[in-house]
Amino acid sequence: MVVLSNNDGCVVARSPEARALGIPMGRRGFSAATWPANTRWWLCPATTPLRRSQRRLMAVLGRFAPRQEIYSIDECFLDLSGLEWLDPTAFCQATA
């Protein structure tokens, strides 16, 4: 078994069996032609509810900064530039 990153589809975790097959960390998951013949793929059927939750979460986080870069289903970067009056540490602690 391997786990692929949500953002770029690269291997981020491997089972001992995947390691034994020589599948390296960082390998692109969507280049299926280079995977062993007995490879099986499973897709999470819960992606639709997860995406709905992600959209709600990112909408809330987006209200706190002028710019937002969504990195993955549960991560984003908020650009706080232009908010020089804001102490980022105090801001994060107050909104946590």
Side-chain angles (χ1 to χ4, degrees), residues 61-83:
L61 292 174
R63 288 188 253 157
F64 292 103
R67 289 187 351 172
Q68 173 187 34
E69 180 181 335
I70 298 173
Y71 179 72
S72 69
I73 198 162
D74 63 349
E75 298 173 291
C76 75
F77 298 95
L78 299 177
D79 181 0
L80 301 178
S81 60
L83 304 176

Side-chain angles (χ1 to χ4, degrees), residues 48-69:
T48 300
L50 287 173
R51 287 287 175 196
R52 278 195 295 258
S53 296
Q54 181 221 21
R55 282 193 292 272
R56 287 194 309 267
L57 173 65
M58 296 307 157
V60 169
L61 292 174
R63 288 188 253 157
F64 292 103
R67 289 187 351 172
Q68 173 187 34
E69 180 181 335

Side-chain angles (χ1 to χ4, degrees), residues 31-59:
S31 56
T34 62
W35 289 85
N38 64 346
T39 300
R40 301 292 181 261
W41 297 89
W42 288 272
L43 300 176
C44 177
T47 54
T48 300
L50 287 173
R51 287 287 175 196
R52 278 195 295 258
S53 296
Q54 181 221 21
R55 282 193 292 272
R56 287 194 309 267
L57 173 65
M58 296 307 157

